[in-house]
Amino acid sequence: MTASAATLASGCCLLRRDPIPPCFGEPPYASDGLPLIVDPHAHFFNGRDLQVKAFFNLVVCRRAGEFERVCQLFGGVFRVLAWLAAPDAKRETAILRSLNDSGGVCSAEKQPTSDFLGYRAEVYPQARAELQAAAAEVSGPVVAAMPGISTMSAASLSALSSTPEALGVYLINNLPETYEEYEGDYKQASVFSEFESLESFSVTSALDFVLEMFQYRMASVSRYYADYGSGDQKLDLIATSLVDYDWPIAKGKSTMSTLSEQMETMREICILSGGRVHPMAPFDPYREVAHQLGRSESSLEFVQQAVMSGLAIGVKLYPPMGFGPTKNAGRDPSFWVKPWSSDIVRTPNFGKRLDDAMNALFEWCAENDVPIITHSNRSNGPSDDFEDLVAPCLWKPVVDRFPDLSINFAHLGGVGSGKANDDWEGYISLMKDSGPGSRVFVDASYFSDIIADDPEVATRLLKRLLGSSEQLERKILYGSDWKMLVQEENAETYLKTFAEAAEKVEQGGHADFSERFLGGSAANWLGLSVGRGNRERMLRFYQNNNVVPPPWVSKAR
């Protein structure tokens, strides 16, 4: 047992007071009478819901990318963290179910901002203890001897950044005892702003991301709404994607909170949010092959049950984990055999088995009007050749064979992150006004380039994209990729920046673009209008769980 695990093993540190939910139907979050806004791409998982060690060590920290600074600062700590301080899904489900059964605790006098800060603060000391125990395993005496934040100079901090892992350990060692101090004196310390002007990256944003991975999922929902739902824009619906990496990178070992447990937590969050937060169920063809071999439950059946209940509103795919949407059968069997691979990849005809699993999913989704969101950037895979499995050419046979299949290519090939290739044009070429391609969409999630000092960056980017395709004006969706976005400085401005940019684009001659971009096109992709599959399933879910239909129901007609 590592020191970080031993610190939490006694159990006394895991005791927490029950959290208090936000009041989504009250100011400042009420959205009645305002245009529809949908975020089709968010995440509210924590460290117990992911194969965190494998994901960071094999995937995001293997090369420079969107997690570059987080990995440089905290990669050593990630290697030993046990994530025991993160609340498990079963406990959170019990807490939320109790609140739902009692009708919640919302009132006109109780506002959600102060509520979520209260239970965020209770998780913080346990997260701090586990982080500092992990840091002790990777730190050296020179770091321990450094002066505190209040007396550290920007020049000294900058010098320490030449060895980023040492800087990460220093930041963790100097975390204050309480969450209030962290949000106050610690993050507001002048040395950070001085340092960031020298180094051009935010160490506090990187820390925020790490600490967010220890939070209650409901606390993350509350923070999301505090960041994006309390200004002029009001979120009506958030699709939060669960992920399943158990078989691709963890050899079939389950996450600490299983997928079924996570889905139960999401059910209670959906009810408590008044139908404003719905999950996207993850599909993993590796798990489906393992099921065929008698070694796992069925990924397809898991998706079907979650969607047909009206809780999940679509399917999440992550091809960079090692599967293409098509043409897996044509690859050499050695393509799948990697140091991290499960032995199922050595199964005869493994590539064909993947194709069969994907075809079964596509056929079922097309027949039942179930939307799919798929990672479309050549990033966040354990190898370059696996990342190439997102290529647009692999999706064309799917679009042609299943013309009624609704697909959202998330991130649009990374075009808004400064690391794009020609893939974004390939995804756009799949779009058509009718027939195959008429239900192909893309989203603008994690376009980190727009979080810039120049407020016109987002406007210029949207204009350039719309100029490349007539269809894109009706097919591009706003999206955030929160909580991944938390690591970016000024991430809380993301929705506001895009909303203002969309308004300027509309004023430039693209009529009604703002409403389509922020919600209307997402409603089309998701199938929220009268007569579409998701709408009918979701309304049944609300009726069965005594949820008053949320504002999106009257807006998406």
Side-chain angles (χ1 to χ4, degrees):
M1 179 180 292
T2 65
S4 55
T7 302
L8 279 300
S10 66
C12 64
C13 297
L14 299 178
L15 298 176
R16 305 177 180 87
R17 190 181 65 218
D18 291 354
I20 301 172
C23 311
F24 291 100
E26 300 172 2
Y29 302 121
S31 63
D32 296 290
L34 298 173
L36 176 71
I37 299 184
V38 177
D39 186 347
H41 191 171
H43 302 280
F44 297 127
F45 43 55
N46 69 22
R48 286 181 179 263
D49 303 336
L50 292 174
Q51 300 291 353
V52 180
K53 286 185 181 180
F55 185 63
F56 277 95
N57 293 336
L58 293 176
V59 180
V60 299
C61 292
R62 75 182 181 91
R63 68 177 183 188
E66 62 193 42
F67 290 91
E68 180 176 3
R69 295 308 301 183
V70 170
C71 291
Q72 289 177 341
L73 291 169
F74 306 117
V77 172
F78 287 156
R79 286 192 290 272
V80 296
L81 269 178
W83 299 96
L84 294 178
D88 69 65
K90 290 176 70 175
R91 171 177 166 76
E92 184 165 355
T93 296
I95 292 169
L96 298 175
R97 184 168 293 156
S98 176
L99 289 168
N100 282 325
D101 290 345
S102 64
V105 295
C106 290
S107 68
E109 293 76 30
K110 186 177 289 295
Q111 294 302 321
T113 302
S114 60
D115 293 342
F116 87 79
L117 284 175
Y119 57 91
R120 292 181 70 83
E122 292 192 16
V123 174
Y124 173 84
Q126 285 78 50
R128 173 179 178 268
E130 186 170 350
L131 283 166
Q132 291 184 342
E137 296 187 37
V138 299
S139 66
V142 63
V143 177
M146 298 291 285
I149 294 294
S150 61
T151 56
M152 174 70 88
S153 70
S156 297
L157 205 63
S158 181
L160 190 58
S161 71
S162 63
T163 52
E165 190 169 295
L167 174 58
V169 168
Y170 171 80
L171 295 169
I172 289 172
N173 285 345
N174 281 273
L175 284 171
E177 292 186 3
T178 68
Y179 184 74
E180 290 78 4
E181 292 174 300
Y182 171 73
E183 286 291 333
D185 293 344
Y186 183 88
K187 288 176 66 174
Q188 305 306 320
S190 60
V191 65
F192 287 140
S193 59
E194 295 170 10
F195 167 80
E196 287 158 11
S197 67
L198 293 172
E199 298 291 337
S200 300
F201 75 92
S202 172
V203 293
T204 54
S205 295
L207 265 176
D208 273 351
F209 173 77
V210 175
L211 289 169
E212 196 64 39
M213 290 298 293
F214 283 98
Q215 277 299 335
Y216 280 102
R217 300 148 194 84
M218 194 68 212
S220 290
V221 173
S222 300
R223 174 175 174 172
Y224 175 100
Y225 263 91
D227 283 352
Y228 297 144
S230 57
D232 293 336
Q233 293 79 37
K234 310 294 183 183
L235 272 295
D236 291 288
L237 181 63
I238 305 167
T240 175
S241 290
L242 279 63
V243 296
D244 183 4
Y245 304 150
D246 291 357
W247 284 95
I249 60 174
K251 300 184 178 181
K253 180 181 178 182
S254 175
T255 49
M256 287 187 284
S257 291
T258 68
L259 280 172
S260 295
E261 291 167 353
Q262 293 174 47
M263 192 61 76
E264 280 299 302
T265 302
M266 290 310 308
R267 176 183 181 276
E268 301 305 321
I269 287 176
C270 182
I271 295 170
L272 196 60
S273 70
R276 290 165 174 82
V277 180
H278 280 263
M280 303 291 285
F283 179 80
D284 173 29
Y286 281 51
R287 183 181 294 280
E288 193 65 16
V289 173
H291 170 68
Q292 295 165 4
L293 299 174
R295 297 176 58 183
S296 176
E297 68 279 8
S298 168
S299 187
L300 181 58
E301 290 178 7
F302 175 79
V303 165
Q304 290 171 334
Q305 291 169 6
V307 170
M308 297 311 289
S309 73
L311 171 59
I313 57 175
V315 180
K316 170 69 172 182
L317 294 177
Y318 214 92
M321 284 293 114
F323 60 89
T326 59
K327 303 183 181 180
N328 294 292
R331 299 185 183 276
D332 189 282
S334 64
F335 177 83
W336 317 105
V337 181
K338 308 291 185 184
W340 58 84
S341 298
S342 162
D343 60 350
I344 65 167
V345 304
R346 300 181 184 275
T347 303
N349 299 314
F350 180 71
K352 182 180 184 303
R353 287 175 179 265
L354 292 179
D355 283 339
D356 291 344
M358 297 305 297
N359 282 329
L361 173 74
F362 296 144
E363 184 175 358
W364 179 79
C365 288
E367 289 178 354
N368 292 277
D369 196 6
V370 177
I372 288 173
I373 180 172
T374 182
H375 186 91
S376 74
N377 196 4
R378 298 194 191 214
S379 65
N380 291 354
S383 64
D384 289 352
D385 53 356
F386 277 11
E387 289 180 351
D388 290 341
L389 295 171
V390 306
C393 62
L394 296 177
W395 280 98
K396 190 175 188 311
V398 178
V399 173
D400 290 343
R401 181 180 175 186
F402 302 101
D404 294 329
L405 185 61
S406 295
I407 307 173
N408 170 22
F409 292 106
H411 310 295
L412 186 49
V415 71
S417 62
K419 302 178 179 65
N421 49 40
D422 294 337
D423 283 351
W424 69 275
E425 295 173 308
Y427 294 120
I428 291 174
S429 72
L430 297 174
M431 297 176 177
K432 300 292 184 291
D433 288 328
S434 61
S438 61
R439 290 192 176 181
V440 169
F441 299 82
V442 297
D443 76 32
S445 58
Y446 211 128
F447 278 22
S448 55
D449 289 354
I450 75 153
I451 312 175
D453 293 333
D454 182 356
E456 295 303 313
V457 169
T459 305
R460 291 195 296 268
L461 177 59
L462 286 177
K463 287 181 177 179
R464 177 165 70 90
L465 292 175
L466 296 188
S468 69
S469 165
E470 292 183 7
Q471 286 85 10
L472 199 61
E473 185 171 330
R474 300 177 296 281
K475 299 295 189 71
I476 186 170
L477 324 175
Y478 164 78
S480 68
D481 199 16
W482 202 97
K483 72 179 60 179
M484 302 296 103
L485 196 64
V486 169
Q487 64 186 300
E488 299 289 341
E489 189 174 12
N490 300 320
E492 68 278 2
T493 67
Y494 197 78
L495 173 57
K496 180 176 183 290
T497 298
F498 255 140
E500 292 175 349
E503 188 67 32
K504 292 176 182 176
V505 168
E506 181 173 314
Q507 293 170 357
H510 296 273
D512 302 320
F513 174 71
S514 180
E515 290 193 11
R516 283 197 298 268
F517 175 65
L518 294 176
S521 295
N524 189 6
W525 165 62
L526 285 169
L528 301 183
S529 58
V530 174
R532 294 288 301 276
N534 255 341
R535 184 185 183 92
E536 302 307 314
R537 291 187 290 264
M538 294 164 79
L539 288 176
R540 285 198 302 270
F541 179 85
Y542 300 151
Q543 183 177 16
N544 292 339
N545 292 280
N546 298 316
V547 174
V548 176
W552 74 258
V553 174
S554 61
K555 297 179 184 182
R557 304 301 299 178

